[in-house]
Amino acid sequence: EVQLVESGGALVQPGGSLRLSCAASGFIFSSYDMNWVRQAPGKGLEWISHIRTSSTTEYADSVKGRFTISRDNAKNSLYLQMNSLRDDDTAVYYCARDAKYKDDYWGQGTLVTVSS
Amino acid sequence: EIVLTQSPATLSLSPGERATLSCRASQSVRSYLAWYQQKPGQAPRLLIYDASNRATGIPDRFSGSGSGTDFTLTISSLEPEDFAVYYCQQRSKWPLTFGGGTKVEIK
Protein backbone atom coordinates (compact mmCIF):
# COMPACT_ATOMS: atom_id res chain seq x y z
CA GLU A 1 0.00 0.00 0.00
CA VAL A 2 1.37 3.40 -0.98
CA GLN A 3 1.76 5.71 2.00
CA LEU A 4 3.08 9.25 2.33
CA VAL A 5 3.44 10.70 5.81
CA GLU A 6 4.41 14.34 6.31
CA SER A 7 5.94 15.68 9.51
CA GLY A 8 7.72 18.74 10.81
CA GLY A 9 4.92 21.27 10.79
CA ALA A 10 4.98 23.74 13.67
CA LEU A 11 4.36 27.29 14.83
CA VAL A 12 7.27 29.48 13.74
CA GLN A 13 7.94 33.22 13.87
CA PRO A 14 8.17 35.35 10.73
CA GLY A 15 11.69 35.16 9.33
CA GLY A 16 12.23 31.72 10.82
CA SER A 17 13.03 28.37 9.25
CA LEU A 18 11.47 24.95 9.23
CA ARG A 19 12.18 21.62 7.57
CA LEU A 20 9.33 19.38 6.50
CA SER A 21 9.73 15.68 5.83
CA CYS A 22 7.65 13.20 3.87
CA ALA A 23 8.23 9.50 4.52
CA ALA A 24 7.29 7.27 1.61
CA SER A 25 6.49 3.56 1.65
CA GLY A 26 4.79 0.94 -0.47
CA PHE A 27 6.49 1.88 -3.75
CA ILE A 28 9.95 2.36 -5.26
CA PHE A 29 10.53 5.93 -4.12
CA SER A 30 13.60 6.49 -6.29
CA SER A 31 11.54 5.84 -9.44
CA TYR A 32 9.10 8.71 -8.93
CA ASP A 33 9.17 12.46 -9.17
CA MET A 34 7.57 14.16 -6.17
CA ASN A 35 5.69 17.40 -5.45
CA TRP A 36 4.92 19.67 -2.53
CA VAL A 37 1.52 21.37 -2.60
CA ARG A 38 0.14 23.71 0.06
CA GLN A 39 -3.26 25.00 1.09
CA ALA A 40 -3.73 28.15 3.14
CA PRO A 41 -6.64 28.07 5.63
CA GLY A 42 -9.93 28.21 3.76
CA LYS A 43 -8.19 28.63 0.40
CA GLY A 44 -7.41 26.54 -2.66
CA LEU A 45 -4.47 24.37 -3.59
CA GLU A 46 -1.11 25.86 -4.58
CA TRP A 47 1.70 23.80 -6.13
CA ILE A 48 5.05 24.97 -4.73
CA SER A 49 7.84 22.57 -5.67
CA HIS A 50 8.82 19.53 -7.73
CA ILE A 51 11.81 17.21 -7.71
CA ARG A 52 12.62 14.71 -10.40
CA THR A 53 14.23 11.33 -9.97
CA SER A 54 17.41 13.03 -11.19
CA SER A 55 17.04 15.53 -8.30
CA THR A 56 16.55 18.48 -10.64
CA THR A 57 13.94 20.85 -9.27
CA GLU A 58 11.18 23.35 -10.06
CA TYR A 59 9.69 26.05 -7.81
CA ALA A 60 6.75 28.40 -7.75
CA ASP A 61 7.75 32.06 -7.83
CA SER A 62 6.17 32.52 -4.39
CA VAL A 63 8.82 30.32 -2.75
CA LYS A 64 11.78 30.50 -5.14
CA GLY A 65 14.97 31.45 -3.32
CA ARG A 66 13.44 30.73 0.10
CA PHE A 67 12.44 27.05 -0.08
CA THR A 68 14.56 24.07 -1.12
CA ILE A 69 13.21 20.66 -2.06
CA SER A 70 15.42 17.59 -1.73
CA ARG A 71 15.20 13.84 -1.49
CA ASP A 72 17.09 10.97 0.11
CA ASN A 73 16.33 7.80 -1.82
CA ALA A 74 18.20 5.65 0.70
CA LYS A 75 15.76 6.85 3.37
CA ASN A 76 12.68 6.94 1.09
CA SER A 77 12.20 10.52 2.16
CA LEU A 78 11.32 13.87 0.63
CA TYR A 79 12.16 17.18 2.30
CA LEU A 80 11.23 20.84 2.10
CA GLN A 81 13.59 23.31 3.74
CA MET A 82 11.72 26.56 4.32
CA ASN A 83 13.65 29.73 5.16
CA SER A 84 12.64 33.38 5.59
CA LEU A 85 9.11 32.30 6.41
CA ARG A 86 6.31 34.86 6.04
CA ASP A 87 2.78 35.09 7.37
CA ASP A 88 1.41 34.04 3.96
CA ASP A 89 3.33 30.76 4.12
CA THR A 90 0.82 29.60 6.75
CA ALA A 91 -0.79 26.51 5.26
CA VAL A 92 -1.20 22.78 5.32
CA TYR A 93 1.68 21.30 3.31
CA TYR A 94 1.09 18.10 1.34
CA CYS A 95 3.58 15.86 -0.39
CA ALA A 96 2.33 14.01 -3.45
CA ARG A 97 3.67 11.31 -5.71
CA ASP A 98 4.01 12.50 -9.30
CA ALA A 99 3.08 9.62 -11.60
CA LYS A 100 3.70 11.42 -14.88
CA TYR A 101 1.10 14.14 -15.40
CA LYS A 102 -0.84 13.32 -12.25
CA ASP A 103 -0.42 13.34 -8.47
CA ASP A 104 -1.86 9.94 -7.69
CA TYR A 105 -1.10 9.65 -3.97
CA TRP A 106 -1.09 12.37 -1.33
CA GLY A 107 -0.07 12.50 2.30
CA GLN A 108 -2.43 13.72 5.02
CA GLY A 109 -0.61 17.05 5.30
CA THR A 110 1.29 18.91 8.00
CA LEU A 111 0.32 22.35 9.31
CA VAL A 112 2.79 25.21 9.25
CA THR A 113 1.76 28.35 11.11
CA VAL A 114 3.86 31.50 10.73
CA SER A 115 2.98 34.01 13.41
CA SER A 116 4.58 36.17 16.05
CA GLU B 1 1.92 31.17 -15.90
CA ILE B 2 -1.19 29.35 -17.07
CA VAL B 3 -4.30 30.52 -15.25
CA LEU B 4 -7.13 28.03 -14.76
CA THR B 5 -10.61 29.45 -14.21
CA GLN B 6 -13.21 27.11 -12.74
CA SER B 7 -16.94 27.72 -12.94
CA PRO B 8 -19.24 27.93 -11.24
CA ALA B 9 -17.66 28.64 -7.88
CA THR B 10 -20.53 26.84 -6.18
CA LEU B 11 -22.97 24.31 -7.58
CA SER B 12 -26.09 23.55 -5.52
CA LEU B 13 -27.64 20.24 -6.54
CA SER B 14 -29.63 17.35 -5.10
CA PRO B 15 -28.50 13.72 -4.90
CA GLY B 16 -29.23 11.96 -8.18
CA GLU B 17 -28.77 15.10 -10.27
CA ARG B 18 -26.09 15.60 -12.89
CA ALA B 19 -23.17 17.92 -12.12
CA THR B 20 -21.21 19.70 -14.83
CA LEU B 21 -18.04 21.54 -13.77
CA SER B 22 -15.97 23.70 -16.08
CA CYS B 23 -12.25 24.51 -16.18
CA ARG B 24 -10.88 27.00 -18.69
CA ALA B 25 -7.15 27.55 -19.29
CA SER B 26 -5.57 30.86 -20.31
CA GLN B 27 -3.58 29.01 -22.98
CA SER B 28 -3.56 25.50 -24.38
CA VAL B 29 -2.60 22.73 -21.99
CA ARG B 30 -3.21 20.06 -24.64
CA SER B 31 -4.70 17.14 -22.68
CA TYR B 32 -2.48 17.57 -19.63
CA LEU B 33 -5.27 18.31 -17.19
CA ALA B 34 -6.19 16.51 -13.97
CA TRP B 35 -9.18 16.74 -11.65
CA TYR B 36 -9.08 16.26 -7.88
CA GLN B 37 -11.77 15.95 -5.23
CA GLN B 38 -11.26 17.29 -1.72
CA LYS B 39 -13.49 16.82 1.30
CA PRO B 40 -13.14 18.88 4.50
CA GLY B 41 -10.10 17.91 6.55
CA GLN B 42 -8.85 15.49 3.91
CA ALA B 43 -6.11 15.47 1.32
CA PRO B 44 -7.07 15.86 -2.34
CA ARG B 45 -7.90 12.67 -4.23
CA LEU B 46 -7.09 12.14 -7.91
CA LEU B 47 -10.20 11.57 -10.03
CA ILE B 48 -9.23 12.17 -13.67
CA TYR B 49 -5.90 12.55 -15.47
CA ASP B 50 -4.96 13.40 -19.04
CA ALA B 51 -8.34 15.14 -19.29
CA SER B 52 -10.44 12.00 -19.62
CA ASN B 53 -8.82 9.01 -17.90
CA ARG B 54 -10.35 7.85 -14.63
CA ALA B 55 -7.89 7.11 -11.85
CA THR B 56 -7.81 3.70 -10.21
CA GLY B 57 -10.90 2.99 -8.16
CA ILE B 58 -12.89 6.01 -9.34
CA PRO B 59 -16.54 5.19 -10.12
CA ASP B 60 -17.68 5.51 -13.72
CA ARG B 61 -20.22 8.21 -12.81
CA PHE B 62 -17.18 10.55 -12.97
CA SER B 63 -16.06 11.50 -16.46
CA GLY B 64 -13.77 14.13 -17.92
CA SER B 65 -13.64 15.68 -21.37
CA GLY B 66 -11.97 18.46 -23.31
CA SER B 67 -8.61 19.46 -24.70
CA GLY B 68 -6.73 22.66 -25.39
CA THR B 69 -8.32 25.31 -23.19
CA ASP B 70 -11.78 24.01 -22.26
CA PHE B 71 -12.42 21.07 -19.98
CA THR B 72 -15.41 19.54 -18.22
CA LEU B 73 -15.83 17.21 -15.27
CA THR B 74 -19.22 15.50 -15.23
CA ILE B 75 -20.75 13.55 -12.38
CA SER B 76 -23.65 11.71 -13.98
CA SER B 77 -25.72 11.14 -10.85
CA LEU B 78 -24.61 12.66 -7.57
CA GLU B 79 -24.14 10.35 -4.61
CA PRO B 80 -24.11 11.73 -1.04
CA GLU B 81 -20.33 11.22 -0.84
CA ASP B 82 -19.74 13.37 -3.96
CA PHE B 83 -20.50 16.66 -2.22
CA ALA B 84 -17.05 18.20 -1.99
CA VAL B 85 -14.72 20.72 -3.63
CA TYR B 86 -13.27 19.89 -7.04
CA TYR B 87 -10.03 21.31 -8.45
CA CYS B 88 -8.53 21.14 -11.91
CA GLN B 89 -4.76 21.24 -12.39
CA GLN B 90 -2.71 21.73 -15.52
CA ARG B 91 0.38 19.59 -16.01
CA SER B 92 1.49 21.10 -19.33
CA LYS B 93 3.91 23.82 -18.28
CA TRP B 94 5.83 24.99 -15.24
CA PRO B 95 4.71 26.27 -12.85
CA LEU B 96 1.96 23.74 -12.33
CA THR B 97 -1.25 25.55 -11.49
CA PHE B 98 -4.63 24.73 -9.97
CA GLY B 99 -7.98 26.29 -10.59
CA GLY B 100 -9.76 28.05 -7.75
CA GLY B 101 -12.13 25.14 -7.17
CA THR B 102 -15.84 24.40 -7.50
CA LYS B 103 -17.80 23.51 -4.41
CA VAL B 104 -20.59 21.03 -5.04
CA GLU B 105 -23.08 21.45 -2.21
CA ILE B 106 -26.36 19.84 -1.30
CA LYS B 107 -29.36 21.86 -2.38
Side-chain angles (χ1 to χ4, degrees), chain B residues 11-15 17-21 78 83 104-107:
Chain B
L11 200 50
S12 298
L13 295 168
S14 301
E17 290 194 293
R18 182 183 188 89
T20 303
L21 288 67
L78 282 163
F83 292 92
V104 178
E105 65 176 23
I106 299 176
K107 187 174 181 179

Side-chain angles (χ1 to χ4, degrees), chain A residues 2-114:
Chain A
V2 172
Q3 281 199 314
L4 297 169
V5 180
E6 301 95 337
S7 60
L11 171 63
V12 60
Q13 292 190 334
S17 297
L18 206 57
R19 188 197 200 203
L20 305 183
S21 299
C22 170
S25 60
F27 66 102
I28 302 173
F29 179 71
S30 59
S31 296
Y32 287 84
D33 296 358
M34 298 291 294
N35 286 305
W36 285 101
V37 174
R38 69 182 179 184
Q39 186 169 37
K43 302 298 184 183
L45 300 170
E46 179 189 16
W47 169 83
I48 56 171
S49 190
H50 175 89
I51 188 165
R52 299 178 182 86
T53 56
S54 61
S55 290
T56 56
T57 59
E58 304 285 346
Y59 294 96
D61 285 347
S62 58
V63 305
K64 198 174 294 183
R66 299 188 301 123
F67 290 11
T68 302
I69 189 173
S70 62
R71 64 192 300 159
D72 185 335
N73 291 335
K75 293 184 177 180
N76 291 331
S77 292
L78 176 72
Y79 304 103
L80 187 68
Q81 177 66 44
M82 305 187 294
N83 298 331
S84 303
L85 283 161
R86 311 186 302 221
D87 291 351
D88 62 359
D89 293 318
T90 294
V92 173
Y93 285 74
Y94 296 101
C95 64
R97 187 177 84 165
D98 188 323
K100 201 165 178 67
Y101 304 117
K102 58 188 179 288
D103 291 329
D104 61 349
Y105 286 93
W106 296 63
Q108 85 290 346
T110 188
L111 176 62
V112 173
T113 303
V114 184

